[in-house]
Amino acid sequence: LHTPMYFFLLNLSLLDVGSISTTVPKSMTNSLWDSRAISYLGCAAQIFLFVFFASAEYFLLTVMAYDRYVAICKPLYYGTLLDNRVCVKMAAAAWSSGFLTALLYVANALSLSFCQGNEVEQFFCEIPQILKLSCSDSCLMEVGVIAVSTSLAFGCFIFIVVSYVQIFRAVLRIPSEHGQHKAFSMCLPHLAVVSLFLGTLMFAYLKSPSVSSPALDLVVAVLYSVVPPTVNPLIYSMRNKELSTALKRLI
């Protein structure tokens, strides 16, 4: 279990637990007490923690793409390129980048003035819903935050795509079918997690405003905030032969 892949999976699990713990317990408490109340500081903390865990997970998935690239394309250098110190530094960089991104977002949110009511049409404090309550003329600041975060996100996306192009090229050059199957099985869980994470986020934030409604926004928020951290452990557990066998028997 002291291999780079399992070290990164440990970090991914911690981020998933943190992400889902930021939104679900509070929404369950409000549901049980038939209340939708949250304090101003509680809302700010929820924004910070959710952005922190989501951003750090995205950066960590980028690091894991590099891990898969080295494992498939440069297996002889795997122990050298990804020793314990390098893995710790890359994981720390992912967590630190998520922290700085969250700090940027929450600083922007707290600088706004709110005069459009105090009801957030969501089960947690989501930034797009918070912006609807603002009456501040902070277009320049918002554009700056969006530009920085989009540049980072796009850079990570390009890195993941390039890594997998190199991986697929290397896999297709493997002469044996068994070798190809083994190489693909190493990459498919990570690729599935990345696709689920990015797919739900892109659907949430790039959908047309004309099709927006409170019910649809709620469903989309559940899709990108609850489903990925819940499904990720199951996706990676499918590589475990004993668990796969038990699941097949159950089915």
Side-chain angles (χ1 to χ4, degrees):
L1 296 178
H2 296 281
T3 60
M5 184 184 73
Y6 285 105
F7 172 74
F8 292 134
L9 283 179
L10 170 63
N11 282 268
L12 182 66
S13 300
L14 292 175
L15 289 171
D16 283 337
V17 170
S19 177
I20 206 166
S21 299
T22 300
T23 57
V24 173
K26 178 60 179 176
S27 64
M28 290 175 66
T29 303
N30 286 354
S31 178
L32 289 172
W33 290 98
D34 194 22
S35 167
R36 298 185 63 190
I38 186 171
S39 66
Y40 179 79
L41 290 178
C43 185
Q46 205 170 53
I47 292 174
F48 175 82
L49 290 174
F50 182 76
V51 175
F52 166 55
F53 288 121
S55 302
E57 181 165 340
Y58 185 42
F59 293 127
L60 185 67
L61 289 173
T62 307
V63 169
M64 292 173 74
Y66 176 71
D67 169 65
R68 295 298 83 201
Y69 164 75
V70 176
I72 300 295
C73 300
K74 299 183 178 182
L76 297 179
Y77 297 97
Y78 188 71
T80 305
L81 294 176
L82 288 170
D83 60 14
N84 291 336
R85 272 191 300 179
V86 172
C87 291
V88 170
K89 286 179 180 179
M90 290 197 296
W95 285 81
S96 302
S97 301
F99 179 82
L100 293 175
T101 303
L103 204 60
L104 183 66
Y105 269 96
V106 80
N108 181 47
L110 292 179
S111 67
L112 301 174
S113 299
F114 301 100
C115 60
Q116 305 291 332
N118 59 354
E119 291 189 7
V120 180
E121 294 295 330
Q122 195 53 270
F123 73 96
F124 70 101
C125 287
E126 186 186 30
I127 289 178
Q129 300 296 332
I130 295 294
L131 292 178
K132 291 181 180 179
L133 306 179
S134 172
C135 54
S136 298
D137 186 15
S138 56
C139 233
L140 188 59
M141 186 181 295
E142 288 177 26
V143 168
V145 171
I146 291 172
V148 171
S149 57
T150 303
S151 300
L152 288 172
F154 188 69
C156 291
F157 178 74
I158 293 298
F159 184 87
I160 293 173
V161 170
V162 171
S163 297
Y164 270 100
V165 168
Q166 297 297 323
I167 288 171
F168 289 144
R169 287 177 60 187
V171 169
L172 293 176
R173 288 198 296 265
I174 297 175
S176 68
E177 186 176 341
H178 175 72
Q180 289 184 355
H181 176 74
K182 185 177 180 180
F184 275 125
S185 68
M186 290 175 63
C187 299
L188 283 179
H190 177 260
L191 196 57
V193 169
V194 170
S195 301
L196 180 66
F197 182 80
L198 290 181
T200 52
L201 274 178
M202 289 173 68
F203 181 73
Y205 287 101
L206 298 182
K207 63 182 174 62
S208 173
S210 60
V211 299
S212 180
S213 67
L216 180 61
D217 290 342
L218 178 62
V219 172
V220 169
V222 171
L223 277 177
Y224 80 81
S225 64
V226 177
V227 173
T230 305
V231 176
N232 284 354
L234 183 62
I235 292 174
Y236 271 102
S237 297
M238 287 301 98
R239 290 199 64 210
N240 186 297
K241 291 182 179 179
E242 292 180 0
L243 186 61
S244 301
T245 304
L247 185 62
K248 288 177 182 176
R249 288 175 182 171
L250 181 64
I251 293 175

